Amino acid sequence: MLADAARGFLDQAAPVAHLRGLRDAGQTQDRALWSEMAAMGWAGVLVPEDAGGSDMGHAAACALAGEMGRTLVTSPFLSTAVIAATALRQVSDARAAQSLARIARGEVTYALAIDEGAKFDPEATQMQARAEGNGFRLTGEKRFVVDGANADRLLVLARTDGGLTLFEIPADRDGITREAQAMIDSRDAARITLADVIATGEDVLGQVDDAMTVLAPALRAGQAALAAEMAGLAAGAFGMTVEYLKERKQFGVPIGAFQALQHRAAHLWCECEVTASAVLNAGRMLDEDPANAAMAVSLAKARATDTAQRAVQEGVQMHGGIGMTDAFDMGFYMKRARVAAEWLGDYGYHANIVAQARGF
Amino acid sequence: MPEEDKALAAFRDELRSWLEANCPADMRDGRNDEASICWGGKNWTFASEAQRTWLQRCVSKGYTVPTWPIEYGGAGLSRDQEKVFHQEMRRLNARYPLQSFGIWMLGPALLHFGTHEQKLHYLPPIARGEIRWCQGYSEPGAGSDLANVQSRAEDKGDHWLVNGQKIWTSYADQADWIFALLRTDREAPKHKGISFILLDMTSPGVTTRPIKLISGASPFCETFFDNVEVPREQVVGEVNRGWDVAKYLLTHEREMISAAGGTMGSGRALGAVLAESGSTDTILRADAMRAEVDGLAVALTLERYKDQAEAGQGAGDASAMLKYMGTELNKRRLELVMAAGGSDALVWEDGRAPNWLRTKANSIEGGTSEVMLSIISKRVLGLPG
Ligand SMILES: Cc1cc2nc3c(=O)[nH]c(=O)nc-3n(C[C@H](O)[C@H](O)[C@H](O)COP(=O)(O)OP(=O)(O)OC[C@H]3O[C@@H](n4cnc5c(N)ncnc54)[C@H](O)[C@@H]3O)c2cc1C
């Protein structure tokens, strides 16, 4: 139901041509589109009803992300409506409630600033948050901050005396420099430098030295939704490919008549089905048993990463020359799949979590 | 040491000192990316003085096309000498002085099918990097089904009148000449009515329109022929037997694409790429180890087939195997390079992504992997169908 409605809306409002249009105009966001999504309750999908949200849960958030993946929609959905909302929900104070309400109304967007190296590894965070008086001074550099150039606020992970602490600060605070990166998927990611940025105790989300109580659920929610997006992406690329197999003729017949391609397409469909199960399971686990959802989430992200890569590689190959052209959409799928593969943990990162959970 | 080995050792000594004395320092970085390649041609602007000098010096020795006969601009090297040549070039990490479709594709076809006059006329300018060629094979309706080309050349007595469209013509907008497959008999079965014709790209009626690739670059084009007049003698091989020339040329193209696989992209060993990334990911490491094992074995296979071939001849149908294995491997390698690079490699300016995206075409250009497997099943294994 939700997915069908979303598909209907997105096919009109944000087909791949929308992303292409933004790219060609040198832009990475469409605030008007986000307002429309907010009006449909998508921005508040994980915001409690008493804060004005639609509180539909993680399975619903994944369903929406899946539809967005299908047409490569550019929006702050994952960073804001999934990751930031889930983090804020772990904190029960009035400020968090206010922030959640603003998210639901589509008034504020967030970006999660964790990575400092080329790979996702929150525990390796080096950025210093030096205690000073009642507050902190943050110094260091964050890379691959997805949605970071456009976001209004940042969730910044930094090292404090006794561990890691998560800060929630406005993106334009003194001492913050944001450098938008020209990303291969034409989406927003930034390099963000913090130089002696002042944060008060109020800016700490959750407890000092204990980022993970707040951050871990937010990461899992984001990883599950990203897995759903990638599964949607795979389905989108696959759909295009199947259509092409029916259309394109060589040797006097549609190329889909060649068994070599039929079997590859059939195999890809099998892969997509198996991945869909892992993605659905992750959303369900986050709703029903969040404390034990880690393995389910990593299973979904690992599978979706693998399936999306396969779908785009097969997609380009089965299109032949036209698949290599910018005028055709398949390249957008390929580039997005590559970026999504790295975000919030790559295949190896998540397979490792699964393996550990399975007693390897 | 037998006489033969002594002669080879002498050749090596002489070559080594020549290379030491003549290869400019800036040409000793082994680079083989688009920005470093010297393609030559009338429109060529040298990227550096060193690039120009290196080309000129190699031309004077025939080293741009070391195995071609001396009279056509080569150095007339034997297969053993050629091996030594490549070893010594690698030892110095020297760049290729010149690369071109003329060297890889048209040259071998002309050496095999051309008349003596054609060879004398067309080969030396290729060897000297003066004329740059492009390949006019594919059409919108003739990709894998290449024999379905519809662009045609009508016999007008002293000349051919050419009309039609080619697509995916790499570098057509920069090339001086094109070798094209054109239909010269519309009644004959499709393989038997095609001729292999050489055209000057500056002839009236030839236009090109660049097509942008997913990497953002535009190295290929649509090429249009609108009543282009082509002198009669510019046919290679027999009229209506162009398919034979086309196929022969493709076996050389396929070997070239396969060989390029080892160096394309980063040109660096995966081990170094991984070490630099500092990755401890066991899956990435295992995948890279497999790719390394496969890569070494594929490289040996390429050498083995070259050794078996008669001097100047290709690997024939087995070139399909070399191309299939080489390009599929190259795609894997660049996937691993990207994975090792993590988020750093996702930014355009980093430079790894365009190489990675470019490799996706390796298993399409020059005949797709699927077509290679069909050739192997039918022509090598003799399977029915
Ligand atoms: C970067 C690049 C550079 C190129 N440069 C040149 C150039 O300089 N000159 C030139 O002439 N051409 C060039 N080409 C074109 C290239 O040779 C063709 O793209 C290629 O032959 C495939 O043809 P196609 O694109 O029409 O794909 P199609 O033939 O339509 O193939 C689409 C898909 O169907 C598959 N398929 C087709 N038939 C069969 C079958 N019987 N069994 C199983 N699968 C099948 C193919 O393998 C492919 O996966 C270039 C292509 C690229 C990508």
Side-chain angles (χ1 to χ4, degrees):
Chain A
M1 274 288 289
L2 178 66
D4 290 342
R7 181 173 298 196
F9 171 75
L10 293 172
D11 279 344
Q12 290 298 312
V16 184
H18 179 256
L19 170 62
R20 180 187 292 278
L22 287 175
R23 180 199 69 176
D24 292 347
Q27 288 165 5
T28 51
Q29 71 166 350
D30 179 351
R31 270 318 245 265
L33 177 68
W34 183 233
S35 299
E36 282 187 72
M37 293 181 180
M40 291 186 295
W42 297 7
V45 65
L46 294 175
V47 172
E49 285 180 4
D50 56 16
S54 49
D55 205 9
M56 291 186 276
H58 292 281
C62 287
L64 288 172
E67 290 307 316
M68 293 187 208
R70 227 173 36 86
T71 57
L72 305 178
V73 177
T74 303
S75 87
F77 180 75
L78 250 87
S79 297
T80 302
V82 177
I83 296 172
T86 305
L88 287 160
R89 254 189 116 143
Q90 311 305 315
V91 183
S92 45
D93 62 21
R95 259 187 72 240
Q98 264 175 26
S99 301
L100 281 164
R102 295 193 63 208
I103 287 180
R105 289 198 296 271
E107 286 172 10
V108 63
T109 61
Y110 282 81
L112 178 64
I114 294 185
D115 294 9
E116 295 172 9
K119 287 284 177 183
F120 177 76
D121 188 0
E123 300 293 343
T125 297
Q126 293 296 327
M127 176 174 281
Q128 291 299 316
R130 220 169 358 98
E132 195 180 87
N134 288 333
F136 302 87
R137 272 179 187 274
L138 279 69
T139 297
E141 190 191 57
K142 294 291 185 183
R143 292 197 235 169
F144 194 31
V145 182
V146 172
D147 297 326
N150 294 307
D152 304 314
R153 300 185 72 83
L154 302 173
L155 296 178
V156 181
L157 185 62
R159 195 157 286 285
T160 35
D161 287 344
L164 294 171
T165 301
L166 191 63
F167 294 87
E168 197 253 275
I169 53 176
D172 58 1
R173 184 165 285 180
D174 276 354
I176 298 181
T177 321
R178 294 192 280 175
E179 200 187 322
Q181 305 282 293
M183 301 297 287
I184 59 172
D185 66 346
S186 310
R187 301 264 290 251
D188 175 6
R191 214 170 244 259
I192 302 189
T193 332
L194 284 78
D196 266 335
V197 172
I198 296 173
T200 66
E202 290 245 292
D203 295 327
V204 173
L205 203 59
Q207 303 298 316
V208 173
D209 295 337
D210 179 26
M212 284 307 160
T213 302
V214 171
L215 185 59
L219 286 174
R220 284 199 286 272
Q223 286 154 346
L226 184 56
E229 185 192 317
M230 294 186 85
L233 178 161
F238 180 59
M240 269 179 83
T241 306
V242 170
E243 281 313 302
Y244 195 71
L245 293 182
K246 294 176 189 167
E247 258 166 43
R248 168 70 173 165
K249 285 197 171 143
Q250 282 290 271
F251 303 99
V253 294
I255 55 173
F258 300 124
Q259 204 168 49
L261 300 188
Q262 285 177 348
H263 284 189
R264 295 241 301 274
H267 179 89
L268 195 49
W269 181 80
C270 298
E271 295 280 349
C272 288
E273 283 302 299
V274 170
T275 293
S277 313
V279 169
L280 286 169
N281 181 54
R284 199 164 47 224
M285 285 294 286
L286 285 174
D287 285 333
E288 291 169 7
D289 189 6
N292 292 306
M295 185 185 90
V297 168
S298 284
L299 183 68
K301 177 65 166 71
R303 274 295 312 182
T305 297
D306 199 49
T307 304
Q309 308 271 24
R310 186 191 283 263
V312 297
Q313 288 172 25
E314 288 285 63
V316 168
Q317 180 66 22
M318 292 197 222
H319 276 82
I322 199 169
M324 286 300 295
T325 63
D326 184 71
F328 203 70
D329 289 340
M330 191 55 77
F332 281 82
Y333 282 91
M334 177 169 273
K335 289 177 260 192
R336 176 62 192 160
R338 183 68 246 161
V339 175
E342 290 298 329
W343 193 27
L344 302 176
D346 63 7
Y347 183 89
Y349 178 89
H350 288 289
N352 198 39
I353 290 175
V354 173
Q356 280 174 4
R358 297 294 296 165
F360 276 50
Chain B
M1 207 191 283
E3 278 310 310
E4 224 176 272
D5 294 357
K6 267 193 216 155
L8 205 57
F11 171 74
R12 186 189 295 278
D13 286 346
E14 195 190 312
L15 177 68
R16 187 175 290 184
S17 29
W18 186 86
L19 288 173
E20 290 283 6
N22 288 283
C23 184
D26 287 355
M27 295 291 110
R28 299 185 187 195
D29 56 9
R31 281 181 62 177
N32 196 28
D33 49 305
E34 196 53 43
S36 320
I37 293 179
C38 176
W39 289 107
K42 287 184 194 159
N43 304 319
W44 185 250
T45 350
F46 288 95
S48 65
E49 203 42 47
Q51 194 185 56
R52 180 203 302 274
T53 309
W54 183 219
L55 175 62
Q56 283 169 350
R57 288 178 183 166
C58 286
V59 165
S60 72
K61 298 287 282 184
Y63 288 161
T64 55
V65 284
T67 59
W68 290 12
I70 293 168
E71 63 175 330
Y72 304 137
L77 300 192
S78 68
R79 170 68 186 135
D80 284 341
Q81 288 173 322
E82 183 198 8
K83 271 192 184 171
V84 169
F85 179 81
H86 289 299
Q87 283 162 5
E88 291 304 312
M89 287 280 282
R90 265 199 300 276
R91 205 181 65 85
L92 221 60
N93 215 9
R95 291 192 199 175
Y96 293 108
L98 178 69
Q99 305 189 49
S100 74
F101 288 19
I103 295 178
W104 295 322
M105 304 180 206
L106 182 63
L110 277 175
L111 283 167
H112 195 76
F113 290 95
T115 61
H116 183 60
E117 289 70 35
Q118 284 175 328
K119 291 179 196 171
L120 274 181
H121 185 73
Y122 293 109
L123 293 176
I126 292 175
R128 292 193 298 262
E130 289 165 3
I131 296 291
R132 183 169 178 186
W133 288 83
C134 64
Q135 178 185 35
Y137 275 30
S138 308
E139 295 181 6
S144 297
D145 187 8
L146 181 59
N148 192 41
V149 289
Q150 301 298 328
S151 296
R152 61 184 198 276
E154 282 171 81
D155 190 346
K156 295 285 178 187
D158 63 333
H159 70 271
W160 301 100
L161 190 66
V162 177
N163 279 287
Q165 184 200 343
K166 295 289 174 184
I167 196 165
W168 322 130
T169 328
S170 295
Y171 308 111
D173 52 344
Q174 291 161 54
D176 305 305
W177 279 67
I178 184 169
F179 49 92
L181 292 186
L182 299 167
R183 190 153 299 281
T184 38
D185 184 347
R186 290 205 266 177
E187 310 304 319
K190 60 182 185 179
H191 296 86
K192 305 229 159 84
I194 298 170
S195 298
F196 188 102
I197 296 181
L198 311 177
L199 265 97
D200 186 337
M201 291 293 277
T202 60
S203 314
V206 180
T207 47
T208 60
R209 192 191 299 153
I211 308 173
K212 203 162 132 194
L213 281 168
I214 57 177
S215 60
S218 301
F220 63 19
C221 299
E222 288 177 284
T223 306
F224 302 91
F225 304 121
D226 182 16
N227 285 324
V228 182
E229 292 184 14
V230 179
R232 182 146 192 102
E233 66 276 11
Q234 286 172 206
V235 175
V236 179
E238 283 175 47
V239 173
N240 290 330
R241 296 292 296 272
W243 186 245
D244 297 340
V245 185
K247 274 197 309 185
Y248 179 82
L249 182 146
L250 278 171
T251 62
H252 284 271
E253 175 178 5
R254 287 166 186 163
E255 274 177 65
M256 179 282 293
I257 296 174
S258 173
T263 52
M264 250 199 67
S266 76
R268 298 175 51 215
L270 279 176
V273 171
L274 267 197
E276 187 180 279
S277 78
S279 172
T280 53
D281 183 337
T282 47
I283 295 180
L284 181 59
R285 193 175 158 77
D287 286 350
M289 284 160 64
R290 276 183 190 282
E292 195 68 19
V293 167
D294 295 347
L296 291 169
V298 168
L300 288 172
T301 311
L302 202 61
E303 286 301 312
R304 181 163 71 88
Y305 273 84
K306 272 198 202 162
D307 284 346
Q308 282 173 7
E310 302 275 317
Q313 300 295 306
D317 288 341
S319 64
M321 177 267 294
L322 300 174
K323 198 220 172 221
Y324 172 68
M325 296 300 281
T327 59
E328 292 297 331
L329 178 73
N330 201 32
K331 290 198 295 183
R332 265 166 69 200
R333 289 183 70 250
L334 269 288
E335 282 291 334
L336 292 164
V337 167
M338 288 301 285
S343 61
D344 287 352
L346 305 176
V347 181
W348 280 122
E349 68 185 12
D350 169 83
R352 277 173 281 197
N355 287 334
W356 159 68
L357 289 166
R358 181 63 184 79
T359 59
K360 301 302 178 196
N362 295 160
S363 53
I364 297 171
E365 60 199 326
T368 65
S369 282
E370 292 73 27
V371 167
M372 296 307 101
L373 292 173
S374 293
I375 291 175
I376 295 167
S377 9
K378 287 180 196 140
R379 297 220 280 266
V380 180
L381 306 181
L383 293 174

